[in-house]
Amino acid sequence: MKKKSTRKKRGATVMDDRFRKISGFTILALSTFLGIAFISYLFTWKIDQAAAMSYGWGLIGAEGVDVANWMGPLGASVSHTAFYAGFGATSFLGVYLLALVGLAILKRRPLVQLQRQLRWGLFGLLVLSVMLAFLFQMIDFPMGGAYGYLISNWLERMIGIPGVVLLFALALVMLVIWIFDPSWSDVTSGKILNNGAEMVPALPTGLSKFVGRFTPEKTTSKRKRKSSGSVAEAPSEPDPSRGVQGLDYDNNDQLADAKKGDSFEFELPSELEQKKVKKAKQLTLTADDIELNLAPTPNEDAIDPELDAISSNIGEKPEGYGANAGDSPRDILAAEAEEDLESQGPYDPKLELSTYQYPTLELLKDYPDNENPVTREELNENKRQIVDALLSFGLSIVSITATVGPTITLYEIVPAPGVRISKIRTLSDDIALNLSALGIRIIAPIPGRGSIGIEVPNKNRQMVPLRDVLASKKYRDAKMELPIALGKTISNETMVVDLAKMPHLLVAGATGQGKSVGINTIIMSLLYRKHPSEVKLVMVDPKKVELSLYSVLERHFLTYMPGQEETIITENTKVIHTLNSLCIEMDQRYELLKTASVRHITEYNAKFKERKLNPKDGHRYLPYIVMIIDEFADLIMTAGKEVELPIARIAQLARAVGMHLIIATQRPTVKIITGTIKANFPARLAFKVTSGTDSKTILDGPGAEQLIGMGDMLLSMGAEKVRLQCAFVDTPEVNDVLDFISAQQGLHMPYLLPEYVGEEDEGRGNSVLNPKEADVLLRDAAHMVVDNHIGSTSMLQRRMKIGFNRAGRIMDELCQLGIVGETRGSKPREVMVSDILELESMLDLFYSGD
């Protein structure tokens, strides 16, 4: 029985030895095959790549396909996968590691002895591919492969090119320190410059094993080391106690690098960490092979934290901050007076209209037949057209994802490694031609993502009713001072912003593109959330028809100057007066904040509600004031600097006192939207414009000229531009809401702005004009009026390049001289002098003093 068991054991040993030899030679043969194929790919990659991209792995069994790789179709396919879709030229490290495994098996060397080489090989495979992709990104050959280019491009987007260079330099320094562990004392002491045996102790540990081979002094034991740090050498004969045949000391990297007190063990990555290493996808180069992924539809019941961050309430302060943090010295001195106020309880600004009811959603129209879903066939057809258009220019992509919106579908593509973004950015017209669609817009790259966006209009547009937007949880639960529901994004998310944080909004767009509907949407958003005591509206409408509907809100939400006949301002002179009146209101509010020792309107109103501010000292509750100007271009053309300067002053200073501007124009040119205005309006809302120049004026970049109209707009609140579909509200809906509000009890006295007296109103009643007080341009203006037979103030302003007030004052002086008649409303004055000779005689008589 013993002989039989011994015989079986020997047979198993023989079979194990045979299997070891077969395995070792098989792995060596495989590494040789790969090495030859990879070397061939360096010279034949263009032909091999074209064949592999056309047939994929089907190239192995394809007939009649010519490949140039030395190892045939299989070598071409494997090389293309390793170089193009893998790690590039660093794939040779994989061949080297495979050969090491084969040799270790043949030499009966435990694979655990190769863990150091395998670790460094894997490290080089991952890192060197990124470095090669970064250094050779301008050449066509895939030096870094898909993995290298993906990581390199991601690093460039995150930290920029100088940051990547610095990162690689840091990695190199860390690698040198880790391997050699250099000592500054050794370098400064000069020991490293010695020769012979003295060089060994001074060398870093990583070089000791190499130097030890050539030094004359060798120890007889590999386990003993001198305290001075010298490295022991291996015995000339293998040590049988080691249990590994044919393994000498010089090949034992762990022991060769070890030094007293050092740790030389490297922990292998865990199985979970190894699974986390992302493998580059094999490039799919046909439209049929690229799967279209649909982004999930967002849940409107869940509030998006990113949009909440954008629309955060500027007035909110931590508990105990501002007005609640403690009283100022002025409040402490007036403690007795405050006790009487506090005994009355908190002040309620809504008390006068305590029965006021907010408008209901039933007043707005519901559109039940508004669903126009985008079909899967339309998405697949658009995907195919996009991929074919890119492939026709030699641009490959890895994946494509579709996000369906109400009017626009965003196709998000990930380009293949080596594809330059600038090439895709210039193909918007070609993609639009393939899709037979207008308004193709390319976002390259999408901010915050490693992809490129292509916005394609849907064939069936879906309306975004204002009722749906106002009914969303995001609008209802928004903790904002002035919430505005603009519409829905491409991903069907309701966009709610805070006007108090913007703090001013500039709206521009060509005629008929939805600008007036957008203004109505903004106003309705405020009416549905704010009480009449909390916000007041100042409306300017030079066209006299757009905002006239809101005149019924005189005793609820509107504010104007004393003695003003029309609550909706339509005349340029009254616009100038109102702007200057708002400047006076702003100065008065800042004075109130100063005496109350607060910095913001929310802190001031909180103090006033708590009865910490005495109305006998001039304090009052301050509602928000929102001024809405439609057709701003008309004001700039007729009033010029007299309108621009007070608007710039309000935009610069009025934020903290709760005064905000919304300006709309259909002519976004540099003469209308000047640099002073743009600098103080960081929030811009652009509907479709006629040219790229207008888009750059309003948004500081292209994009608005590629919109498709009918409420399609771009919102810019900084570097990022968000594409939205504006909420739609029809005029009958607006009338129903206004009738609901106006039918309720209004304020006993409207909220009036401070009175302002213009320069042209000063000194009226003096019928006798003094020649010394007459304007120096009076004679030139008289000649201009008589020559053109037009008594127009705006003509004098434009042709003489003067302000509106001065032109009006000159026109009044001409009226006193009898050269022109009295005002006739909006019509020019009648010219009373027929020829120049008569005019000269009148002027000579006037200036002579007779």
Side-chain angles (χ1 to χ4, degrees), residues 108-362:
R108 295 182 179 180
R109 182 180 180 184
L111 294 181
V112 69
Q113 299 290 340
L114 298 178
Q115 58 179 341
R116 187 172 184 272
Q117 289 89 334
L118 293 176
R119 284 197 301 268
W120 284 110
L122 180 61
F123 177 82
L125 197 67
L126 298 177
V127 176
L128 291 180
S129 60
V130 179
M131 297 182 67
L132 292 177
F134 176 78
L135 296 175
F136 300 97
Q137 57 182 328
M138 301 302 295
I139 66 174
D140 295 333
F141 185 78
M143 292 294 294
Y147 169 83
Y149 284 105
L150 288 176
I151 301 301
S152 176
N153 291 337
W154 179 79
L155 289 175
E156 287 187 26
R157 289 194 304 271
M158 292 295 295
I159 59 179
I161 293 179
V164 176
V165 175
L166 181 60
L167 180 62
F168 287 157
L170 177 62
L172 181 61
V173 173
M174 293 172 62
L175 182 63
V176 172
I177 294 176
W178 183 263
I179 296 177
F180 301 108
D181 190 18
S183 174
W184 296 115
S185 60
D186 294 339
V187 175
T188 56
S189 62
K191 294 181 180 180
I192 199 169
L193 300 179
N194 296 332
N195 297 322
E198 295 180 358
M199 184 176 181
V200 177
L203 282 175
T205 59
L207 292 180
S208 301
K209 62 177 183 179
F210 300 104
V211 178
R213 299 180 183 179
F214 303 102
T215 54
E217 298 181 4
K218 292 187 177 180
T219 61
T220 58
S221 175
K222 67 178 185 299
R223 298 183 181 274
K224 295 181 179 180
R225 299 178 182 270
K226 296 180 180 180
S227 60
S228 60
S230 62
V231 179
E233 288 299 316
S236 59
E237 297 294 332
D239 188 355
S241 63
R242 297 173 61 181
V244 180
Q245 299 180 8
L247 180 63
D248 59 3
Y249 175 79
D250 291 335
N251 290 330
N252 190 349
D253 297 322
Q254 291 183 356
L255 294 179
D257 284 332
K259 187 177 66 175
K260 186 177 181 180
D262 291 345
S263 174
F264 56 86
E265 289 291 338
F266 289 84
E267 294 184 0
L268 286 174
S270 64
E271 182 178 357
L272 179 60
E273 291 175 345
Q274 292 178 2
K275 291 181 179 180
K276 290 183 179 180
V277 179
K278 295 184 178 179
K279 297 183 179 179
K281 297 181 180 179
Q282 182 178 356
L283 301 182
T284 52
L285 301 170
T286 62
D288 294 332
D289 294 334
I290 299 178
E291 182 181 356
L292 178 66
N293 302 316
L294 284 179
T297 303
N299 184 8
E300 282 295 340
D301 294 334
I303 299 179
D304 188 355
E306 294 184 1
L307 291 178
D308 283 350
I310 294 177
S311 308
S312 60
N313 184 1
I314 191 174
E316 289 186 349
K317 304 295 180 184
E319 185 177 358
Y321 176 86
N324 299 325
D327 297 332
S328 64
R330 180 180 180 275
D331 295 328
I332 296 177
L333 294 176
E336 296 180 358
E338 288 180 356
E339 290 180 0
D340 296 337
L341 290 174
E342 293 179 357
S343 63
Q344 302 175 12
Y347 172 76
D348 184 9
K350 303 178 182 179
L351 184 61
E352 185 175 355
L353 295 182
S354 58
T355 60
Y356 176 79
Q357 296 181 1
Y358 292 87
T360 61
L361 293 177
E362 285 72 17

Side-chain angles (χ1 to χ4, degrees), residues 304-597:
D304 188 355
E306 294 184 1
L307 291 178
D308 283 350
I310 294 177
S311 308
S312 60
N313 184 1
I314 191 174
E316 289 186 349
K317 304 295 180 184
E319 185 177 358
Y321 176 86
N324 299 325
D327 297 332
S328 64
R330 180 180 180 275
D331 295 328
I332 296 177
L333 294 176
E336 296 180 358
E338 288 180 356
E339 290 180 0
D340 296 337
L341 290 174
E342 293 179 357
S343 63
Q344 302 175 12
Y347 172 76
D348 184 9
K350 303 178 182 179
L351 184 61
E352 185 175 355
L353 295 182
S354 58
T355 60
Y356 176 79
Q357 296 181 1
Y358 292 87
T360 61
L361 293 177
E362 285 72 17
L363 298 173
L364 300 175
K365 186 177 179 180
D366 190 12
Y367 296 87
D369 301 330
N370 187 37
E371 294 295 333
N372 291 318
V374 179
T375 62
R376 183 76 185 191
E377 290 76 12
E378 179 182 349
L379 293 175
N380 286 328
E381 182 62 24
N382 289 343
K383 179 263 296 185
R384 177 181 296 275
Q385 298 293 345
I386 292 173
V387 175
D388 290 344
L390 295 175
L391 289 179
S392 63
F393 289 91
L395 305 176
S396 303
I397 64 175
V398 174
S399 64
I400 181 170
T401 304
T403 303
V404 181
T407 58
I408 299 295
T409 298
L410 173 64
Y411 294 88
E412 191 172 342
I413 65 175
V414 177
V419 176
R420 301 189 68 83
I421 295 178
S422 58
K423 295 181 179 180
I424 299 179
R425 191 184 291 116
T426 59
L427 297 180
S428 58
D429 294 337
D430 300 278
I431 297 176
L433 179 62
N434 281 17
L435 296 175
S436 300
L438 297 176
I440 298 295
R441 178 170 172 260
I442 295 180
I443 311 173
I446 299 178
R449 304 182 188 176
S451 58
I452 298 174
I454 301 178
E455 297 175 347
V456 180
N458 300 331
K459 293 182 179 179
N460 299 321
R461 301 179 56 138
Q462 182 180 356
M463 182 190 301
V464 179
L466 180 62
R467 177 171 179 167
D468 296 348
V469 175
L470 298 184
S472 65
K473 183 178 179 63
K474 190 167 296 184
Y475 174 78
R476 298 194 314 266
D477 299 342
K479 297 180 180 180
M480 307 176 185
E481 291 297 325
L482 298 174
I484 297 177
L486 295 176
K488 290 190 175 182
T489 64
I490 293 179
S491 57
N492 271 319
E493 297 178 2
T494 302
M495 188 65 175
V496 183
V497 295
D498 191 359
L499 181 62
K501 186 179 180 181
M502 283 184 170
H504 312 289
L505 181 61
L506 185 60
V507 184
T511 304
Q513 303 303 323
K515 186 172 68 280
S516 298
V517 176
I519 295 296
N520 288 330
T521 299
I522 293 174
I523 298 175
M524 298 295 287
S525 299
L526 295 175
L527 297 182
Y528 264 81
R529 280 291 300 271
K530 307 306 292 184
H531 190 271
S533 62
E534 296 175 327
V535 62
K536 298 298 178 182
L537 304 177
V538 180
M539 297 189 178
V540 178
D541 184 15
K543 293 198 315 188
K544 305 179 181 180
V545 293
E546 293 293 345
L547 302 178
S548 59
L549 302 174
Y550 297 95
S551 59
V552 297
L553 302 181
E554 176 182 357
R555 290 300 180 97
H556 293 85
F557 287 96
L558 297 185
T559 180
Y560 45 88
M561 291 197 319
Q564 186 172 314
E565 299 177 359
E566 298 180 353
T567 55
I568 307 299
I569 307 170
T570 58
E571 298 182 7
N572 292 342
T573 304
K574 294 182 178 179
V575 174
I576 299 172
H577 290 183
T578 302
L579 288 172
N580 287 279
S581 176
L582 288 174
C583 291
I584 298 175
E585 172 75 10
M586 178 183 67
D587 294 336
Q588 292 179 355
R589 290 190 172 202
Y590 267 112
E591 189 64 29
L592 293 176
L593 263 63
K594 176 183 176 182
T595 56
S597 300

